[in-house]
Amino acid sequence: MKSIIYIFLFSVCFSIQVVAQKYSTLLVEEWTSSNWKNSMRMTNTFDSNGNVTKEASDSWNGTTSIWENSLITAHTLNSNSTVNYSITQSWDKDMSMWINLHKMMYSYDASKNVLTQKTQMDIGTGWSDFSMTTNTYNTSGLLIKSVGQAMDLMTMQMKDATQTTYTYNADGTENQSVSQNWNATSAAWQNSMRSTNTYDASKKLTMILTEDYTADVWVNDMKSTLTYNTNGLVNEALYQDWDATTSAWVDTDKDIFTYNANGSINQLIKANGRINPE
């Protein structure tokens, strides 16, 4: 079963961009035995300028009926409110202490666009480089290429691993993204995945088609279809997988959104759970 929180993050970040909402707490509940039961809780801490400085997630222990530490990410900010670096830690129950997982370091251009994102891991000897993403933008400030590199533990050098290129429509909306993997044997980029966006006359995203590159052709994989309410906010998001045997789309999941009077999300209801922002 997919974790509901990751499906939610996928929906918001990848497809919907529903509202620019700064929540203090996200409560995730799962439908179990005809009742809503706690599953996960995410809590944000803000500085005096409204910037997120800490993100914490707790998991619900149904036996003891208490929230237990899970993950925590602390952000150190630059003077212009961009993130300088972030450190993520996980809670070790046996040792009753936080353990370093990874550190993310960022660099920016004059417009605050992320140029590089370096990931370091703590393997017991301090922080060591693990991967890096380098972004390129066009003159309009739109992301046109993102190259991911991974550390080769044999040579201790960063090597190309993935690449995503982005194209845009004349109105500035994203048309398509194509992901590729680096083939060291042929020394060339090979197609992996492609996402194509469809919009209505108001530039609202209505569909995302995801395809895999198989046997030198693009093959349907997933599809997300969005509908909106009269206020222009996402009402439903339907997710489908492609059935190659029947050559038809098969429903897999659906999100239903409700909103507060100010347009902020009141609740996200899914087939197997719900999310309540506060």
Short mmCIF file of all heavy atoms in Angstrom, two decimals, residues 41-64:
data_model
loop_
_atom_site.label_atom_id
_atom_site.label_comp_id
_atom_site.label_asym_id
_atom_site.label_seq_id
_atom_site.Cartn_x
_atom_site.Cartn_y
_atom_site.Cartn_z
N ARG A 41 2.06 12.80 11.65
CA ARG A 41 1.90 14.23 11.92
C ARG A 41 3.16 14.96 11.49
O ARG A 41 4.26 14.56 11.85
CB ARG A 41 1.62 14.46 13.41
CG ARG A 41 1.40 15.92 13.78
CD ARG A 41 1.13 16.05 15.27
NE ARG A 41 2.28 15.64 16.08
CZ ARG A 41 2.30 15.63 17.41
NH1 ARG A 41 1.21 15.95 18.08
NH2 ARG A 41 3.40 15.27 18.07
N MET A 42 2.97 16.02 10.70
CA MET A 42 4.10 16.84 10.27
C MET A 42 3.92 18.25 10.80
O MET A 42 2.86 18.85 10.65
CB MET A 42 4.18 16.85 8.74
CG MET A 42 4.35 15.46 8.12
SD MET A 42 4.44 15.48 6.33
CE MET A 42 6.03 16.30 6.09
N THR A 43 4.97 18.77 11.43
CA THR A 43 4.89 20.08 12.08
C THR A 43 6.01 20.98 11.60
O THR A 43 7.18 20.57 11.53
CB THR A 43 5.00 19.93 13.61
OG1 THR A 43 4.00 19.01 14.05
CG2 THR A 43 4.78 21.26 14.30
N ASN A 44 5.67 22.23 11.25
CA ASN A 44 6.64 23.22 10.80
C ASN A 44 6.90 24.27 11.87
O ASN A 44 5.98 24.66 12.60
CB ASN A 44 6.16 23.93 9.54
CG ASN A 44 6.26 23.06 8.31
OD1 ASN A 44 7.04 22.12 8.27
ND2 ASN A 44 5.47 23.37 7.30
N THR A 45 8.13 24.75 11.94
CA THR A 45 8.51 25.87 12.80
C THR A 45 8.97 27.01 11.91
O THR A 45 9.70 26.78 10.93
CB THR A 45 9.65 25.47 13.76
OG1 THR A 45 9.22 24.36 14.56
CG2 THR A 45 10.02 26.63 14.68
N PHE A 46 8.55 28.25 12.22
CA PHE A 46 8.85 29.40 11.39
C PHE A 46 9.68 30.43 12.14
O PHE A 46 9.63 30.52 13.37
CB PHE A 46 7.54 30.07 10.92
CG PHE A 46 6.60 29.15 10.21
CD1 PHE A 46 5.66 28.40 10.91
CD2 PHE A 46 6.64 29.02 8.83
CE1 PHE A 46 4.79 27.55 10.25
CE2 PHE A 46 5.78 28.18 8.16
CZ PHE A 46 4.85 27.44 8.87
N ASP A 47 10.46 31.23 11.38
CA ASP A 47 11.17 32.36 11.99
C ASP A 47 10.27 33.59 11.94
O ASP A 47 9.11 33.52 11.50
CB ASP A 47 12.53 32.59 11.32
CG ASP A 47 12.41 33.03 9.87
OD1 ASP A 47 11.29 33.38 9.42
OD2 ASP A 47 13.43 33.02 9.17
N SER A 48 10.79 34.73 12.37
CA SER A 48 9.98 35.95 12.44
C SER A 48 9.55 36.46 11.07
O SER A 48 8.62 37.27 10.97
CB SER A 48 10.76 37.04 13.17
OG SER A 48 12.00 37.31 12.50
N ASN A 49 10.22 36.00 10.01
CA ASN A 49 9.86 36.41 8.64
C ASN A 49 8.93 35.41 7.95
O ASN A 49 8.61 35.58 6.77
CB ASN A 49 11.13 36.59 7.80
CG ASN A 49 12.00 37.71 8.29
OD1 ASN A 49 11.50 38.78 8.65
ND2 ASN A 49 13.30 37.49 8.33
N GLY A 50 8.53 34.39 8.68
CA GLY A 50 7.62 33.41 8.11
C GLY A 50 8.31 32.31 7.33
O GLY A 50 7.64 31.52 6.65
N ASN A 51 9.63 32.23 7.42
CA ASN A 51 10.37 31.17 6.74
C ASN A 51 10.39 29.90 7.58
O ASN A 51 10.54 29.96 8.81
CB ASN A 51 11.82 31.61 6.47
CG ASN A 51 11.90 32.86 5.63
OD1 ASN A 51 11.32 32.95 4.56
ND2 ASN A 51 12.63 33.86 6.13
N VAL A 52 10.25 28.75 6.94
CA VAL A 52 10.31 27.48 7.66
C VAL A 52 11.75 27.20 8.08
O VAL A 52 12.65 27.17 7.25
CB VAL A 52 9.79 26.32 6.78
CG1 VAL A 52 9.93 25.00 7.52
CG2 VAL A 52 8.34 26.55 6.40
N THR A 53 11.96 26.99 9.34
CA THR A 53 13.30 26.70 9.85
C THR A 53 13.43 25.25 10.33
O THR A 53 14.55 24.75 10.46
CB THR A 53 13.65 27.63 11.03
OG1 THR A 53 12.66 27.50 12.06
CG2 THR A 53 13.71 29.08 10.56
N LYS A 54 12.30 24.60 10.58
CA LYS A 54 12.37 23.20 11.01
C LYS A 54 11.11 22.47 10.58
O LYS A 54 10.00 23.01 10.65
CB LYS A 54 12.53 23.10 12.53
CG LYS A 54 12.71 21.67 13.03
CD LYS A 54 13.13 21.63 14.49
CE LYS A 54 12.05 22.13 15.42
NZ LYS A 54 12.42 21.96 16.84
N GLU A 55 11.29 21.24 10.09
CA GLU A 55 10.18 20.37 9.72
C GLU A 55 10.34 19.07 10.49
O GLU A 55 11.37 18.42 10.42
CB GLU A 55 10.19 20.08 8.22
CG GLU A 55 10.12 21.31 7.35
CD GLU A 55 10.34 20.98 5.88
OE1 GLU A 55 9.48 20.29 5.29
OE2 GLU A 55 11.40 21.37 5.35
N ALA A 56 9.30 18.72 11.24
CA ALA A 56 9.34 17.49 12.05
C ALA A 56 8.18 16.59 11.66
O ALA A 56 7.09 17.05 11.36
CB ALA A 56 9.27 17.83 13.53
N SER A 57 8.43 15.28 11.63
CA SER A 57 7.37 14.32 11.38
C SER A 57 7.37 13.28 12.49
O SER A 57 8.43 12.82 12.92
CB SER A 57 7.54 13.65 10.02
OG SER A 57 8.73 12.90 9.96
N ASP A 58 6.17 12.96 12.97
CA ASP A 58 5.99 11.97 14.03
C ASP A 58 5.08 10.87 13.52
O ASP A 58 4.18 11.11 12.70
CB ASP A 58 5.37 12.61 15.28
CG ASP A 58 6.12 13.82 15.76
OD1 ASP A 58 7.35 13.74 15.85
OD2 ASP A 58 5.48 14.86 16.02
N SER A 59 5.27 9.66 14.01
CA SER A 59 4.39 8.54 13.68
C SER A 59 3.57 8.16 14.90
O SER A 59 4.03 8.27 16.04
CB SER A 59 5.20 7.34 13.18
OG SER A 59 6.15 6.94 14.16
N TRP A 60 2.33 7.72 14.65
CA TRP A 60 1.43 7.39 15.74
C TRP A 60 1.61 5.94 16.17
O TRP A 60 1.62 5.03 15.36
CB TRP A 60 -0.02 7.61 15.30
CG TRP A 60 -1.05 7.31 16.34
CD1 TRP A 60 -1.88 6.23 16.38
CD2 TRP A 60 -1.36 8.10 17.49
NE1 TRP A 60 -2.70 6.29 17.49
CE2 TRP A 60 -2.40 7.43 18.19
CE3 TRP A 60 -0.87 9.29 18.00
CZ2 TRP A 60 -2.95 7.93 19.36
CZ3 TRP A 60 -1.41 9.79 19.17
CH2 TRP A 60 -2.44 9.12 19.85
N ASN A 61 1.80 5.74 17.48
CA ASN A 61 1.89 4.41 18.05
C ASN A 61 0.50 4.01 18.55
O ASN A 61 0.03 4.52 19.57
CB ASN A 61 2.91 4.38 19.19
CG ASN A 61 3.19 2.97 19.69
OD1 ASN A 61 2.29 2.16 19.82
ND2 ASN A 61 4.46 2.69 19.97
N GLY A 62 -0.16 3.11 17.81
CA GLY A 62 -1.51 2.72 18.17
C GLY A 62 -1.60 1.95 19.47
O GLY A 62 -2.64 1.92 20.12
N THR A 63 -0.49 1.34 19.87
CA THR A 63 -0.49 0.55 21.10
C THR A 63 -0.42 1.44 22.33
O THR A 63 -1.18 1.25 23.30
CB THR A 63 0.70 -0.43 21.12
OG1 THR A 63 0.63 -1.29 19.98
CG2 THR A 63 0.70 -1.26 22.39
N THR A 64 0.48 2.44 22.30
CA THR A 64 0.64 3.34 23.44
C THR A 64 -0.19 4.60 23.31
O THR A 64 -0.29 5.38 24.26
CB THR A 64 2.12 3.72 23.60
OG1 THR A 64 2.55 4.40 22.40
CG2 THR A 64 2.99 2.49 23.80
#
